[in-house]
Amino acid sequence: MSTGAGEITARTVLVFALATWPRRIVVGTLLLIPVIVAVFGGFGGAQVESHEVPPGQQVDVGAMVVTPTAFFVSDEVERSFLEIADAEAWLGVIVEVDNLTTETLSLTFSRGASDAVSPALDEALTTAVGWSYPDSVLRVADATPGDRALPGVRTQVALMWPLTDADAVGETLDITMTESELTYSLMSKEDVWMSLGDVWTTTLPREDLPSTLFEPKDDF
Amino acid sequence: MTTPPPSPDGTVGDPQEPTRTPSEADVPTPPRGIAATPPRRTDPTTTRSGRARTATVIALVLGLAGTAWASTDFLRTTWRMAEPRSAVTAGEDGTATLDGLTVGLVEAVDLGAAPSLPGSDWQPPDGFHAWRVVLETTSTNEDLITCDVALVDDRGRQFLANYFVDSFVEGYEYSYTCGVIGPDDDIGPQQALLVLVPEDATPRSVQIQQFTLNPVYLELEIG
Amino acid sequence: MRRRWAVVGLAVLVLALGIAANVTEARLLPYGPTSVSASLGQDVQVSPFRLHVTGAQAATTVTDPGLFGDATTIDSDGVWVVVDLSYATVDTIRSPAAGGILVRDPSGRAYPVSNRSPATEWLAGADTWVGGQLAFEVAPDALAGLVLEFAPSSTLYGPMPNTYALIPLDLDGTLVDNVELVDAEPLAVGER
């Protein structure tokens, strides 16, 4: 390949950058920065903080404030859905949710896996697809669909996971709440949930199924 | 003394000829003499820079073709199959056939703005007429169940049967069955369908569509 | 010398254009810069639909008439906004894309058609206007300046800058106890 006079090539750029002593010092410093940083202990790792909180405490996970209070295990709610999911019972985590963003958020966190609120469940126990987010969400007050957290509208919902073995869940349940953000992914060109790291854990007491969620059996 | 480079046919220039050391002022001229060798032509496909250029052009064309293929993927697959685009029209016997489904238009009649419909007191809203469309159907297609039937006017507007009308008028089907009709089904070879059509519309044809048949559909002309 | 700067300048320009195109495409589609505004009581063209919003009310509860006379009253953690509107299409039977209709307040908070009431989108036909109600649940302080965004086109053809309509709902802050919901039904020609 012929090179005309004055053309920009890798060679000419290199020559330009090393032409004078000041430039050589600058280049040298740039190359040495990783070494210098390493000497001073390196960059701090992203600090993931873990907090233990009591049930009933408000936790700001970024996109929303969640307040988990209790959990239940029951097969007397959403009966037909339970049959379809081929499960024994629902694990329901009762949380109050306050959406701090300007967009309505799906509490089944369907866009990309979210760890915003996850019960510590053995994967084998639940038939839910992507077990870190719930299959079904009901508004506790009247068992209507509660899967939407509306901006500025605080609501109490039951996040529900279908269980294959209802007896495997004891009197207490550990749940983790992870700081999460719904961001726009340029790669997949859609909104996805991103875990930001900070984690809160709490141990919830077991309660009976709230009477407002009870669904009478259809006797045909 | 330097030897001139061999010419393309492989022969070396006449060694008896006196040669001069080339200088920058030299203008290429054919050597003086009886056997003048033809001026050497540079063949673009064989010189190194020529080959590189050809390769670049080929690579560019291939790259563009590949990009075009990738970026028209949506167009070629999803968009093309999304809506009905190409019609299968009626043959000489008045029926149109597609994928085992054969349909013939028995009648398409304007019942007017205030039709009397047996078993129903439903009436079209003001400004609309009810139309009766009867299709004779034979189907061996086991993948189909029901299909959409539309009256299409000269402006291209489609008015679909069984929408915005009473579903349970005696003598009319509440959906159009285009799949295989079993011996137990009480649907005859002729199915009557009720269509709501604005009074300013002049239906010209009947179209039978189903998204699994896309982009092909059946079209039967009226009259 | 000038040539060198030209090359550098062009490289920077290409990079900047690439980033700008990426961001624009990601952020603006499918809502391209084609919005059309209308007020209550007007017909507005939002291809492939024509829309007419009659009015809106804010209420504490709504009543679902039920299929067999078994009416249920539905309350809300927020406030109900019931919008009376009708629409027709230009070509064939269509329903506005789910999720394409929402109300937005001046601070940008967006609320979709509520999935807790039966007042959701319906089918309309070619020049066949069908009128009904859409119910939204919003924050109590979101009523003033609430605007209906009607973006009916599905993404069947991929993200495209389709037209959407903006209709200010002109809610005056009064809150009624209850609104009885009615089913959508086809309208006479000329009726909205």
Side-chain angles (χ1 to χ4, degrees), chain A residues 178-193:
Chain A
T178 312
E179 194 183 354
S180 305
E181 189 186 332
L182 190 66
T183 64
Y184 187 78
S185 160
L186 278 177
M187 293 290 286
S188 55
K189 300 239 174 118
E190 57 179 2
D191 290 324
V192 293
W193 280 104

Side-chain angles (χ1 to χ4, degrees), chain A residues 34 53 69 79 81-82 100 109 115 124 152 162 165 171 187 191-192:
Chain A
V53 295
T69 47
R79 296 174 195 262
F81 200 167
L82 204 58
L100 303 173
F109 302 105
D115 305 317
D165 182 3
E171 286 302 304
M187 293 290 286
D191 290 324
V192 293

Side-chain angles (χ1 to χ4, degrees), chain C residues 6-50:
Chain C
V7 173
V8 171
L10 282 172
V12 169
L13 184 67
V14 165
L15 197 65
L17 276 175
I19 293 173
N22 234 15
V23 171
T24 311
E25 187 200 14
R27 273 297 169 201
L28 283 190
L29 293 174
Y31 299 120
T34 45
S35 76
V36 57
S37 290
S39 45
L40 298 171
Q42 275 186 331
D43 281 359
V44 58
Q45 176 103 0
V46 203
S47 286
F49 286 87
R50 288 195 194 100

Side-chain angles (χ1 to χ4, degrees), chain B residues 89-124:
Chain B
T89 50
E92 280 184 11
D93 62 349
T95 66
T97 305
L98 170 66
D99 285 356
L101 170 66
T102 302
V103 190
L105 180 63
V106 176
E107 67 171 4
V109 178
D110 185 352
L111 300 176
S116 61
L117 299 166
S120 166
D121 51 8
W122 176 82
Q123 294 283 280

Side-chain angles (χ1 to χ4, degrees), chain B residues 74 78-79 82-83 85 125-128 155-160 163-164 196 198-200, chain C residues 50 90-94 123-130 155-158 186-189:
Chain B
F74 189 87
T78 314
W79 182 85
E83 300 222 323
R85 283 179 221 292
D126 285 347
F128 288 88
R155 283 164 53 181
R157 297 180 294 178
Q158 297 186 9
F159 307 105
L160 265 71
Y163 283 90
F164 314 122
L196 188 70
E199 65 188 6
D200 67 348
Chain C
R50 288 195 194 100
V90 300
D91 49 4
T92 181
I93 297 268
R94 291 178 189 278
L123 290 163
D127 289 327
T128 308
W129 287 79
V130 181
T155 52
L156 184 61
Y157 303 115
L187 305 170
V189 168

